[in-house]
């Protein structure tokens, strides 16, 4: 008898060099007329025990999609069929385009494409080497342009982009989930959400992701035009136009940013307000929590920064008020609001 560890009742058998399907009672459900019959997992395992209900049958170079009972599920005669996610990519023998076969609803979807990506893996060149990476969408290529369909085969982005890639949002220390897409059109970069909503238009020479300090998520973007930096929230709200030579996240928590333009520095605080606007020769990437300097309007801003004008060092808080004038050559923090200082 046969061992069926997958609890599917039928098996692939071989007779006179040809394959067919029998049930556990030895009754033939198909004649042994195929050159091969296999499921996706069985192809990898070199086994002819059914590991899933849908499989591929090959005969004289033509492939068909059948189930474990030998029933033909689609009348498309194909020269290429491979599984990707819940779908099967099917290329009819008389066409250069692929279609998607929906294994859940047992139907061919009319979306046509030249190539398809599931997760971050290009599929066409590696028919049996697919990896499920947690993405519930598919990047498709048609006439050398890329688009996106969702897990149900619905078109999310038209095939009009020269490049589409997932933007990673890491949900814990081990797994990644991709929510947004980085796209390129006419050599300009943009960002779209997973449902096709435009976050940033394709107007930028480059868009850099801003990760959180622990790398657990993307917290915003640095759009770049002509080597000048701007700042956008993760939802596409442009906080800063692309006019800065450099934007430096404060290393502790990335809630505030040091801005550099034409050799001068400013500070973007956690209320998204520009303070000390380009009046300092340097703002240092360090701060002190400062409970004594809290003003009621800014009760969520409790930081002070060391700044430099010329050769002199001073202290400001993160709403731009001067706490120590820039008249010292040396300042060293001893405690929360105590500093060593000296004149030259």
């Amino acid at each position: 008898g046969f061992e069926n560890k997958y609890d599917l009742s039928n098996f692939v058998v071989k007779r006179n060099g040809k394959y067919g399907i029998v049930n556990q009672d030895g009754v033939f459900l198909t004649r042994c007329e195929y050159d091969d019959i296999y499921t996706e997992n069985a192809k990898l395992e070199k086994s002819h025990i059914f590991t899933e209900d849908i499989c591929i049958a090959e005969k004289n170079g033509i492939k068909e999609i059948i189930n474990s009972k030998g029933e033909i599920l689609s009348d498309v005669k194909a020269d290429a069929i491979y599984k990707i996610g819940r779908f099967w990519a099917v290329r009819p023998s008389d066409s250069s385009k692929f279609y998607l076969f929906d294994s859940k609803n047992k139907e061919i979807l009319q979306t046509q494409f030249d190539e398809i990506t599931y997760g971050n893996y290009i599929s066409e060149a590696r028919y049996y080497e697919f990896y499920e990476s947690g993405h519930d969408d598919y990047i498709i290529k048609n006439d050398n342009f890329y688009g996106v369909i969702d897990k149900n085969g619905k078109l999310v982005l038209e095939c009009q982009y020269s490049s589409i890639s997932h933007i990673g949002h890491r949900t814990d220390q081990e797994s990644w989930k991709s929510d947004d897409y980085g796209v390129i059109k006419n050599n300009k970069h943009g960002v779209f959400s997973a449902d096709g909503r435009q976050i940033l238009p394709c107007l930028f020479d480059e868009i850099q992701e801003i990760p959180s300090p622990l790398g657990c998520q993307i917290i915003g973007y640095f759009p770049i035009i002509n080597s000048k930096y701007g700042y956008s929230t993760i939802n596409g709200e442009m906080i800063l136009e692309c006019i800065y030579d450099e934007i430096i996240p404060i290393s502790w928590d990335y809630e505030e940013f040091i801005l550099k333009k034409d050799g001068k520095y400013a500070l973007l605080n956690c209320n998204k307000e520009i303070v000390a606007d380009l009046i300092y020769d340097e703002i240092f990437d360090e701060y002190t929590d400062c409970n004594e300097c809290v003003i009621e309007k800014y009760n969520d801003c409790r930081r002070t920064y060391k700044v430099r004008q010329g050769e002199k060092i001073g202290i400001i808080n993160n709403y731009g008020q001067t706490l120590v004038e820039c008249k010292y050559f040396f300042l060293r923090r001893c405690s929360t609001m105590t500093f060593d200082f000296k004149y030259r």
Side-chain angles (χ1 to χ4, degrees):
F2 296 100
E3 176 187 0
N4 191 340
K5 60 183 177 181
Y6 296 99
D7 296 324
L8 293 171
S9 58
N10 304 324
F11 303 88
V12 176
V13 295
K14 185 177 183 180
R15 174 185 288 177
N16 298 326
K18 299 293 183 179
Y19 293 89
I21 299 176
V22 300
N23 62 21
Q24 287 184 322
D25 298 323
V27 176
F28 278 84
L29 304 179
T30 69
R31 293 183 298 175
C32 291
E33 60 181 0
Y34 294 100
D35 299 323
D36 202 358
I37 300 175
Y38 53 87
T39 65
E40 186 72 13
N41 290 334
K43 188 73 173 182
L44 290 171
E45 298 171 3
K46 306 299 183 184
S47 166
H48 284 91
I49 297 175
F50 277 102
T51 59
E52 53 192 299
D53 186 52
I54 296 177
C55 57
I56 300 171
E58 295 187 24
K59 183 178 180 181
N60 298 327
I62 299 299
K63 298 179 174 67
E64 296 178 319
I65 299 176
I66 66 175
N67 62 19
S68 60
K69 298 177 183 179
E71 299 169 337
I72 297 175
L73 301 181
S74 171
D75 58 1
V76 174
K77 307 297 183 183
D79 60 10
I81 299 176
Y82 56 89
K83 189 178 181 183
I84 182 165
R86 82 173 231 200
F87 294 102
W88 294 75
V90 179
R91 184 175 64 197
S93 56
D94 59 354
S95 174
S96 62
K97 302 290 186 182
F98 283 90
Y99 294 84
L100 286 181
F101 176 74
D102 185 346
S103 60
K104 179 179 180 180
N105 298 314
K106 307 297 189 297
E107 64 179 355
I108 291 283
L109 304 180
Q110 293 306 305
T111 302
Q112 301 182 45
F113 54 91
D114 302 313
E115 186 180 279
I116 188 167
T117 304
Y118 183 56
N120 292 317
Y121 296 88
I122 298 294
S123 311
E124 182 179 7
R126 307 190 300 173
Y127 285 178
Y128 303 108
E129 298 181 18
F130 304 114
Y131 302 84
E132 296 195 8
S133 59
H135 302 296
D136 291 330
D137 47 34
Y138 305 83
I139 297 175
I140 59 175
K141 183 179 181 182
N142 197 20
D143 297 331
N144 292 320
F145 290 97
Y146 293 90
V148 175
I149 57 177
D150 65 16
K151 62 182 180 180
N152 298 313
K154 179 183 177 181
L155 191 64
V156 175
L157 293 178
E158 297 279 353
C159 291
Q160 56 179 304
Y161 302 97
S162 56
S163 176
I164 295 179
S165 59
H166 291 95
I167 295 175
H169 291 206
R170 196 166 69 174
T171 55
D172 55 32
Q173 291 300 314
E174 297 180 354
S175 64
W176 288 80
K177 181 179 180 181
S178 179
D179 293 331
D180 300 336
Y181 306 104
V183 304
I184 301 176
K185 183 178 181 181
N186 298 327
N187 293 320
K188 297 296 183 180
H189 293 249
V191 176
F192 283 82
S193 67
D195 59 3
R197 177 179 57 85
Q198 178 179 279
I199 295 176
L200 291 173
C202 293
L203 297 175
F204 305 98
D205 301 326
E206 184 182 352
I207 296 176
Q208 295 180 0
E209 303 167 15
I210 308 174
S212 65
L214 298 178
C216 57
Q217 61 181 345
I218 303 299
I219 60 173
Y221 300 103
F222 289 146
I224 302 171
I225 298 178
N226 296 328
S227 299
K228 300 294 184 179
Y229 288 76
Y231 167 52
S232 164
T233 67
I234 192 67
N235 295 317
E237 180 187 1
M238 284 295 294
I239 304 299
L240 298 175
E241 296 299 320
C242 297
I243 60 173
Y244 294 95
D245 301 319
E246 192 174 2
I247 300 178
I248 307 166
I250 302 301
S251 57
W252 178 252
D253 59 8
Y254 287 22
E255 287 190 359
E256 301 188 327
F257 298 87
I258 297 171
L259 315 178
K260 181 181 180 182
K261 181 183 179 185
D262 300 329
K264 296 293 184 178
Y265 289 80
L267 181 70
L268 181 73
N269 68 20
C270 57
N271 288 330
K272 303 298 185 289
E273 299 170 335
I274 297 176
V275 299
D277 192 9
L278 303 175
I279 62 175
Y280 294 105
D281 297 308
E282 188 171 3
I283 298 177
F284 294 90
D285 183 9
E286 59 183 78
Y287 71 86
T288 303
D289 287 331
C290 179
N291 293 332
E292 293 89 341
C293 295
V294 176
I295 293 178
E296 183 177 356
K297 177 182 176 182
Y298 297 98
N299 59 7
D300 58 340
C301 298
R302 300 169 177 265
R303 301 175 178 184
T304 63
Y305 290 90
K306 187 163 63 174
V307 295
R308 179 176 63 85
Q309 285 183 319
E311 296 182 354
K312 303 296 182 68
I313 303 297
I315 303 293
I316 64 171
N317 61 25
N318 60 342
Y319 39 93
Q321 294 178 323
T322 299
L323 304 182
V324 178
E325 292 183 7
C326 289
K327 60 182 182 179
Y328 301 102
F329 290 100
F330 174 81
L331 279 172
R332 182 181 65 193
R333 187 175 69 241
C334 298
S335 61
T336 300
M337 279 304 294
T338 303
F339 295 88
D340 286 341
F341 64 90
K342 69 177 182 179
Y343 297 100
R344 175 170 289 179

